[in-house]
Protein backbone atom coordinates (compact mmCIF):
# COMPACT_ATOMS: atom_id res chain seq x y z
CA UNK A 1 0.00 0.00 0.00
CA UNK A 2 1.43 3.38 -0.97
CA UNK A 3 0.51 6.82 0.39
CA UNK A 4 -2.25 7.37 -2.19
CA UNK A 5 -3.94 4.11 -1.27
CA UNK A 6 -3.53 4.86 2.43
CA UNK A 7 -5.09 8.32 2.00
CA UNK A 8 -8.00 6.79 0.07
CA UNK A 9 -8.55 4.20 2.81
CA UNK A 10 -8.41 6.95 5.46
CA UNK A 11 -10.95 9.01 3.52
CA UNK A 12 -13.35 6.06 3.25
CA UNK A 13 -12.98 5.12 6.93
CA UNK A 14 -13.40 8.68 8.22
CA UNK A 15 -16.08 9.69 5.72
CA UNK A 16 -14.08 12.68 4.44
CA UNK A 17 -12.96 13.74 0.99
CA UNK A 18 -9.69 12.46 -0.49
CA UNK A 19 -7.98 15.90 -0.46
CA UNK A 20 -8.53 16.29 3.29
CA UNK A 21 -7.20 12.80 3.94
CA UNK A 22 -4.08 13.53 1.85
CA UNK A 23 -3.45 16.75 3.79
CA UNK A 24 -3.84 14.94 7.10
CA UNK A 25 -1.50 12.16 5.99
CA UNK A 26 1.10 14.69 4.83
CA UNK A 27 0.94 16.51 8.18
CA UNK A 28 1.75 13.44 10.27
CA UNK A 29 5.57 13.31 9.77
CA UNK A 30 5.99 17.06 10.35
CA UNK A 31 3.88 16.93 13.50
CA UNK A 32 5.84 13.98 14.90
CA UNK A 33 9.13 15.74 14.09
CA UNK A 34 8.03 18.95 15.84
CA UNK A 35 6.97 17.09 18.98
CA UNK A 36 10.24 15.13 19.13
CA UNK A 37 12.27 18.32 18.71
CA UNK A 38 10.48 19.73 21.75
CA UNK A 39 11.72 16.73 23.73
CA UNK A 40 8.45 14.83 23.91
CA UNK A 41 7.37 11.49 22.53
CA UNK A 42 4.46 10.55 20.27
CA UNK A 43 2.29 7.58 21.18
CA UNK A 44 0.06 6.27 18.42
CA UNK A 45 -2.54 4.29 20.33
CA UNK A 46 -2.30 0.65 19.38
CA UNK A 47 0.63 1.07 16.94
CA UNK A 48 3.53 2.16 19.13
CA UNK A 49 5.62 5.11 20.31
CA UNK A 50 8.12 7.41 18.61
CA UNK A 51 10.79 8.72 20.98
CA UNK A 52 14.13 10.51 20.87
CA UNK A 53 17.32 8.56 21.44
CA UNK A 54 20.71 10.11 22.13
CA UNK A 55 23.56 8.15 20.58
CA UNK A 56 26.67 8.91 22.61
CA UNK A 57 29.97 10.04 21.16
CA UNK A 58 32.12 7.13 19.97
CA UNK A 59 35.33 6.31 18.16
CA UNK A 60 35.37 4.72 14.73
CA UNK A 61 38.23 3.03 12.94
CA UNK A 62 38.20 3.50 9.17
CA UNK A 63 38.85 0.01 7.76
CA UNK A 64 40.60 1.32 4.66
CA UNK A 65 42.95 3.89 6.15
CA UNK A 66 43.06 2.46 9.70
CA UNK A 67 42.62 6.02 10.96
CA UNK A 68 40.65 6.48 14.19
CA UNK A 69 37.91 9.08 13.91
CA UNK A 70 35.83 10.60 16.72
CA UNK A 71 32.11 10.47 15.83
CA UNK A 72 30.08 13.14 17.65
CA UNK A 73 26.93 12.32 19.57
CA UNK A 74 23.62 12.71 17.75
CA UNK A 75 19.91 12.46 18.36
CA UNK A 76 17.97 9.81 16.44
CA UNK A 77 14.38 8.61 16.44
CA UNK A 78 13.35 5.22 17.76
CA UNK A 79 9.99 3.54 17.28
CA UNK A 80 8.84 0.97 19.82
CA UNK A 81 6.03 -1.19 18.50
CA UNK A 82 3.07 -1.73 20.80
CA UNK A 83 3.10 -5.04 22.65
CA UNK A 84 -0.20 -6.19 21.22
CA UNK A 85 1.09 -5.65 17.63
CA UNK A 86 4.33 -7.63 17.82
CA UNK A 87 2.70 -10.59 16.09
CA UNK A 88 0.32 -10.07 13.23
Amino acid sequence: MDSRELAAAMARAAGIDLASAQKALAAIPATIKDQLRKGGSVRLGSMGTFRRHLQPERTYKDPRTKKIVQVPSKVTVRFNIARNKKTL
Side-chain angles (χ1 to χ4, degrees):
M1 178 181 276
D2 63 7
S3 61
R4 286 186 221 159
E5 294 169 341
L6 181 57
M10 287 172 52
R12 282 192 304 274
I16 59 175
D17 61 305
L18 182 60
S20 296
Q22 288 173 333
K23 285 180 186 177
L25 185 60
I28 291 171
T31 306
I32 292 172
K33 190 176 184 179
D34 288 344
Q35 184 63 28
L36 292 174
R37 280 191 175 161
K38 292 177 185 174
S41 63
V42 177
R43 183 167 178 243
L44 299 176
S46 63
M47 288 179 54
T49 305
F50 289 95
R51 62 180 175 82
R52 291 169 51 124
H53 174 73
L54 179 64
Q55 289 186 336
E57 187 176 288
R58 63 185 175 89
T59 57
Y60 169 76
K61 185 175 181 180
D62 188 340
R64 194 171 21 160
T65 64
K66 309 292 187 226
K67 183 178 179 183
I68 295 178
V69 180
Q70 195 69 20
V71 179
S73 64
K74 64 181 178 179
V75 176
T76 60
V77 176
R78 294 260 172 109
F79 180 75
N80 291 356
I81 192 164
R83 288 187 180 161
N84 61 346
K85 296 293 180 184
K86 288 195 178 184
T87 58
L88 294 176

